[in-house]
Amino acid sequence: MIRIILSGPPGAGKGTQGKRLAAALAVPAISTGDLFRDQVRRRTETGVALEALVAAGDFVPDAITNAMVAERLEQSDAANGFILDGYPRTPDQVVELDRMLAARGVALDAAVLLDVPDDMVATRLAGRAELGRADDTDEVIRHRIALYHRETAPLTVLFDARGLLVRVDGSDLPDVVQARLLAALEPLRRRASTAA
Ligand code: ADP
């Protein structure tokens, strides 16, 4: 029973850590990037429409992103908690997420920021280029990092003001970062289990 958003620059390890946290905390990891890539792979109408935009590293329009998350959160496995990886990334997405949660009478437990310096994320992303993600080319990587700093990083202030920000150093091997995350979330887990 824990509701977390996981943010950080591209290549911070949100996907890896989101899945690991989901297993450890028994809630689904919901990655908007994965949801979009799945649409593209399945050649759905949305997928075909968004393919070029995602490959260029641009944000998917808020209305589409918000609708996709709203639909996903309605699935039964998300009723008792979730880890949202890569959402919200814009002020409008924050507003919409607030609305979705308020409508269910629930609230976020934490906004986790995976901190990794830019030179390290660029190296990591370039290193996984062989995985074949269309958006892992040098130019698109630079664009995604810039977009993160311009649009998403400023949202950190907002979650900090709400007392939800949990900043975790993501600049180590996955096992080390995972241990850090679990340690940082331990007080929350205890609170959640006593509340249940
Ligand atoms: P990364 O964090 O490395 O950029 P993701 O897998 O989270 O990777 O996202 C991949 C792409 O999916 C983004 O570049 C963007 O095109 C789209 N996307 C994912 N999440 C969002 C979001 N919250 N808002 C808009 N677009 C998104």
Side-chain angles (χ1 to χ4, degrees):
M1 190 74 115
I2 193 160
R3 295 179 180 85
I4 299 172
I5 62 173
L6 192 53
S7 71
K14 299 187 295 290
T16 304
Q17 297 300 335
K19 289 189 192 83
R20 286 171 175 233
L21 272 184
L25 304 176
V27 291
I30 300 172
S31 152
T32 42
D34 280 350
L35 292 175
F36 291 134
R37 279 186 292 276
D38 183 54
Q39 298 278 340
V40 171
R41 218 172 4 246
R42 293 184 4 244
R43 315 300 304 159
T44 64
E45 204 177 317
T46 313
V48 170
L50 297 178
E51 184 168 22
L53 204 148
V54 173
D58 286 320
F59 285 170
V60 172
D62 285 332
I64 297 174
T65 306
N66 291 329
M68 172 123 18
V69 171
E71 194 183 311
R72 181 63 187 85
L73 288 183
E74 268 162 27
Q75 290 172 28
S76 58
D77 64 334
N80 288 325
F82 53 75
I83 293 160
L84 264 178
D85 156 8
Y87 179 93
R89 284 188 208 214
T90 67
D92 182 68
Q93 293 179 16
V94 174
V95 170
E96 281 307 310
L97 177 62
D98 284 344
R99 230 196 288 264
M100 290 175 219
L101 298 183
R104 290 171 174 74
V106 299
L108 284 179
D109 295 300
V112 177
L113 174 66
L114 266 182
D115 248 336
V116 178
D118 281 354
D119 54 346
M120 188 179 283
V121 303
T123 312
R124 284 186 186 176
L125 290 171
R128 78 173 187 199
E130 74 278 3
L131 292 182
R133 256 179 68 166
D135 59 351
D136 278 348
T137 62
D138 282 346
E139 194 192 325
V140 175
I141 287 169
R142 271 196 302 276
H143 178 56
R144 284 159 59 209
I145 294 173
L147 209 50
Y148 168 76
H149 285 295
R150 198 177 76 213
E151 307 290 335
T152 307
L155 304 177
T156 303
V157 177
L158 215 142
F159 291 110
D160 199 13
R162 296 185 190 179
L164 291 176
L165 189 66
V166 176
R167 212 181 258 275
V168 172
D169 176 5
S171 65
D172 286 285
L173 291 172
D175 284 352
V176 177
V177 176
Q178 186 189 1
R180 255 182 219 141
L181 273 168
L182 286 173
L185 293 173
E186 185 55 31
L188 277 169
R189 295 170 71 192
R190 239 181 273 132
R191 209 165 61 209
S193 65
T194 44

